[in-house]
Amino acid sequence: MKRRQFIMLIGGAAAWPLAARAQQPAMQVIGFLNGQSSRTWGPMVAAFRRGLNEAGYIEGQNVIIDYRWAEGQPDRLPALVGEFVRRPVSVIVATGGNNPAMAAKAATSTIPIVFTSNDDPRKYGLVASLNRPGGNVTGVSWFSAELGPKRLALLHDLVPNVTTIALLLNPNNAETARQPAELQEAGRALGLQIVILHTLSIGDIDAAFANVVQNRIGALVVAGDSFLASRREQIITLAARHAVPAVYVRWPVQADS
């Protein structure tokens, strides 16, 4: 073998591992978008990782999870999901209500989106139907937002002598927009008066409970909402302090609970 051919052969052999490494697929990135906070969603994130592990995806080994938290502020969601689109990620997991899923769908029609919902996703245009979602969006819903009248009936059973019940909700949350009408209709059937209390800030929650006490409102229904969930300790403390019977959407427990 001539010297030039030998050098070319060795050089080519030395390049093979580099070429092989260059052809290795990049690690997949999951964009995890949530309308609440990492503190309130700690246990769910741990369960999410366990589920991925069972499917063979180990964070930091063969998959990267990029977390974005709106901290109970829905107006932050478009910018957060925009970061995923620019990266781009392999899939967007939209959790913590319908708002993250809606923001994700508005931002991309190509990146797969998997959502969790507490309401009928068809009403928000997330999917075409439950059995054939269509497009790039799919997910799971437990329809808890539609259980408002059921919660009201349960509260009425627990405190049958109460005639006035307040509904605490965030008026800026599209997911709960129809709840006042639904609860008022259900309240009329039960002979109850429903008082709507809007909350947009921490101070609003204090003011709402002051209203409940001052007007001797007998009980409280708390709507499902990421902001209200982020203030659950404040709400539970105030309800206990003023001895106000209350019913809530299931809230995540703290990671250190």
Side-chain angles (χ1 to χ4, degrees):
M1 180 180 295
K2 293 183 180 180
R3 181 174 181 273
R4 177 178 292 182
Q5 292 175 324
F6 178 79
I7 291 173
M8 291 178 63
L9 179 61
I10 295 299
W16 291 340
L18 296 177
R21 286 196 294 271
Q23 293 173 4
Q24 291 296 318
M27 193 178 297
Q28 299 293 306
V29 179
I30 298 172
F32 188 95
L33 180 67
N34 188 278
Q36 301 180 28
S37 70
S38 58
R39 186 173 66 90
T40 57
W41 267 69
M44 276 63 70
V45 170
F48 177 67
R49 290 195 188 104
R50 285 195 300 271
L52 287 175
N53 292 351
E54 292 170 1
Y57 295 98
I58 311 300
E59 185 176 10
Q61 293 185 17
N62 58 4
V63 69
I64 296 170
I65 307 177
D66 191 359
Y67 300 92
R68 294 290 186 275
W69 305 93
E71 303 292 342
Q73 301 177 50
D75 58 328
R76 296 182 57 191
L77 291 167
L80 295 177
V81 76
E83 297 175 13
F84 289 153
V85 174
R86 289 188 296 272
R87 186 169 184 172
V89 298
S90 304
V91 61
I92 296 173
V93 177
T95 62
N98 291 319
N99 288 328
M102 293 167 66
K105 183 175 182 181
T108 177
S109 60
T110 55
I111 300 175
I113 299 167
V114 180
F115 65 82
T116 61
S117 170
N118 61 359
D119 204 345
D120 187 344
R122 295 170 297 183
K123 295 180 180 179
Y124 301 94
L126 290 174
V127 298
S129 69
L130 296 181
N131 61 332
R132 295 183 181 276
N136 62 318
V137 183
T138 189
V140 62
S141 175
W142 43 90
F143 293 87
S144 65
E146 298 190 346
L147 297 178
K150 295 289 186 181
R151 295 189 188 94
L152 180 65
L154 175 62
L155 190 58
H156 177 58
D157 289 342
L158 293 174
V159 284
N161 294 328
V162 167
T163 58
T164 303
I165 294 178
L167 170 64
L168 188 67
L169 85 164
N170 177 358
N172 288 345
N173 189 343
E175 298 178 30
T176 58
R178 71 176 191 277
Q179 285 196 23
E182 290 178 346
L183 258 67
Q184 286 172 337
E185 181 179 354
R188 284 192 292 271
L190 296 171
L192 300 172
Q193 179 184 359
I194 306 299
V195 177
I196 310 302
L197 301 177
H198 291 164
T199 56
L200 293 171
S201 67
I202 297 173
D204 287 345
I205 296 175
D206 290 326
F209 274 90
N211 188 327
V212 168
V213 173
Q214 181 178 354
N215 292 288
R216 297 183 178 180
I217 297 173
L220 179 68
V221 176
V222 182
D225 173 72
S226 57
F227 167 69
L228 295 176
S230 71
R231 301 304 307 171
R232 69 194 185 286
E233 291 181 5
Q234 178 187 6
I235 294 171
I236 292 171
T237 298
L238 287 170
R241 179 183 303 164
H242 297 295
V244 178
V247 63
Y248 315 89
V249 174
R250 185 194 65 81
W251 285 338
V253 296
Q254 292 187 32
D256 57 355
S257 300

